[in-house]
Amino acid sequence: MKKQFFWTAALMVPLVVNSQCRVTELGGVSDITPNWPVALDKNGNSMTVFQGGPTIWGSNGAVKASADIQLPEGPYALSMNNVGQAVVRVGNCSSARPTYSSDLGIWKWTDGSVQCLKPLPFEVHPDFLQQGSDAATVIDDKGWVYANVTDTLNVNRAMAWPPNGAPIELPAPSFSVYRKALGGSASGLVVGVVSNHPDLSLGGAPVMWKNRTPSYLSIPLDMRQGEVQSAASNGDMVGRVAGPTASFSGIWWKSGGQQYELMPNFRPSFVNRYGRSAGWATTVPFLTPAIYANGAMTEIQKIVPSRWAKAGNTVVDVKGLNDKSQILVTYQRNSPEGSAWGQRCYRVASGPSPKVVMWAAPGLLDGAP
């Protein structure tokens, strides 16, 4: 993609890459019953899951709700919306048609109720609910749920459940054997990839579903395939594209349809409406959680308080990013007794204004990442 240059000026906003995070611990660390962070909403509430069931934590790190749901191991990366609902694994909900169950339900954590999603119109692959495929789920603020399911022919199918309704399959822009929802926003935008073959090395096309209507997203001419990973509340999207060598690099699709290729050593997983993305730095021998903003990238471990880092805490995974630039991560604490796992929410320091004002060279758009 052609190089693009920007002159930028910030109004009372320290960029995320130059700021130190304020750390909020979610419930402490335990060697016995850790909680795995899985989702974050716009208000800073986050959800964790483990054998004891799901827990909702407030932005101050205190418990707001918990449920006695025995969560089976399974493939789903769970989610939550901004109106007190979360997608959880609830076991087999359909005793009459157990092989048609997605094992998913909606937990309304504000009142404690749990509602199973209705059975699928096809049988689920017998190994799907036990495998660790990390399939994405999305629940929007209207209560629609989106998830990936593999059928008995081992074909991945992106499904949508309306509130209290039977599931429907998300269509592809054209004939496609393979379609997969990888993420989305609580405003109802769902993003992912479609392909004419389950092997993405043979080509996959980035796609978005708006009101369940699919559209292809364009990719640079020198790229062969792509996928969309995440959508922001304003319609911006981030994902990955690859050329003939299948080496992926990051890409940003603006809500107006423009695309910008990110630095090749950053792999985005989440995006917010203010031009910030959380994902992975690939400049080291292994992937490292990182933040990207205004053309600069930094590892999250480098912007945590030094005292916390010196205590032996290492950020190992990133699980969410909201419009307040709060980042939900998994960390590992090393101690003489061994390793303990926990989670922290990093709130990025910011000034009164959440926006960065940008002046672009003639012919380029303001607000490009």
Side-chain angles (χ1 to χ4, degrees):
M1 176 177 289
K2 182 175 65 177
K3 297 289 185 181
Q4 298 175 335
F5 300 91
F6 295 89
W7 293 271
T8 68
L11 297 180
M12 302 177 67
V13 184
L15 295 181
V16 69
V17 294
N18 295 323
S19 305
Q20 189 176 77
C21 295
R22 299 199 302 270
V23 177
T24 302
E25 184 172 350
L26 306 181
V29 184
S30 170
D31 292 314
I32 302 173
T33 57
N35 285 280
W36 303 103
V38 295
L40 179 69
D41 71 10
K42 70 176 184 180
N43 299 313
N45 300 309
S46 57
M47 180 170 67
T48 66
V49 295
F50 200 63
Q51 293 176 351
T55 300
I56 301 295
W57 309 85
S59 60
N60 61 353
V63 173
K64 298 187 74 171
S66 60
D68 186 18
I69 302 173
Q70 294 300 313
L71 294 166
E73 294 183 3
Y76 286 109
L78 305 177
S79 61
M80 61 192 300
N81 61 18
N82 300 312
V83 293
Q85 295 175 309
V87 179
V88 294
R89 288 288 310 279
V90 294
N92 198 316
C93 286
S94 177
S95 57
R97 305 174 71 194
T99 59
Y100 290 77
S101 173
S102 67
D103 277 12
L104 294 177
I106 298 176
W107 173 37
K108 191 175 181 180
W109 55 267
T110 51
D111 65 15
S113 62
V114 179
Q115 175 186 339
C116 288
L117 296 185
K118 292 187 180 299
L120 294 156
F122 55 84
E123 289 192 76
V124 178
H125 192 282
D127 298 329
F128 175 68
L129 294 178
Q130 283 74 45
Q131 65 188 10
S133 65
D134 200 33
T137 64
V138 177
I139 181 168
D140 66 23
D141 289 343
K142 294 182 179 180
W144 280 77
V145 175
Y146 304 89
N148 299 306
V149 184
T150 302
D151 64 19
T152 53
L153 297 177
N154 208 32
V155 174
N156 190 279
R157 301 167 73 167
M159 305 301 299
W161 283 263
N164 303 311
I168 58 175
E169 187 165 5
L170 293 177
S174 59
F175 174 78
S176 175
V177 174
Y178 181 102
R179 63 196 72 176
K180 188 172 185 179
L182 299 175
S185 69
S187 59
L189 183 64
V190 180
V191 298
V193 61
V194 297
S195 174
N196 288 328
H197 195 283
D199 184 359
L200 289 184
S201 67
L202 299 179
V207 65
M208 69 173 181
W209 288 274
K210 187 174 183 179
N211 297 322
R212 276 73 62 190
T213 300
S215 299
Y216 283 125
L217 298 179
S218 61
I219 60 176
L221 294 177
D222 56 340
M223 296 295 173
R224 179 180 176 184
Q225 59 181 298
E227 59 187 38
V228 197
Q229 292 284 320
S230 176
S233 59
N234 67 336
D236 281 11
M237 295 165 281
V238 292
R240 307 165 192 174
V241 291
T245 62
S247 178
F248 280 88
S249 60
I251 188 169
W252 192 298
W253 291 275
K254 298 293 288 183
S255 57
Q258 303 81 19
Q259 59 179 267
Y260 299 89
E261 195 168 351
L262 306 181
M263 56 180 59
N265 56 349
F266 178 71
R267 184 179 298 178
S269 296
F270 303 96
V271 61
N272 71 12
R273 67 180 302 143
Y274 297 119
R276 292 172 177 170
S277 180
W280 301 88
T282 61
T283 53
V284 290
F286 48 87
L287 297 179
T288 303
I291 293 295
Y292 177 95
N294 301 303
M297 179 188 69
T298 193
E299 298 172 25
I300 296 177
Q301 186 68 21
K302 294 181 179 179
I303 56 174
V304 301
S306 57
R307 181 175 59 181
W308 183 82
K310 289 179 180 178
N313 300 308
T314 304
V315 177
V316 295
D317 199 358
V318 57
K319 294 293 187 179
L321 169 71
N322 65 11
D323 287 341
K324 293 182 178 180
S325 290
Q326 292 172 310
I327 313 163
L328 185 65
V329 301
T330 304
Y331 72 91
Q332 182 179 20
R333 174 173 295 173
N334 296 314
S335 64
E337 293 76 25
S339 296
W341 293 87
Q343 65 290 318
R344 305 233 172 182
C345 180
Y346 294 93
R347 177 178 296 173
V348 177
S350 62
S353 171
K355 296 182 179 179
V356 175
V357 178
M358 306 192 72
W359 287 268
L364 299 179
L365 293 175
D366 292 343

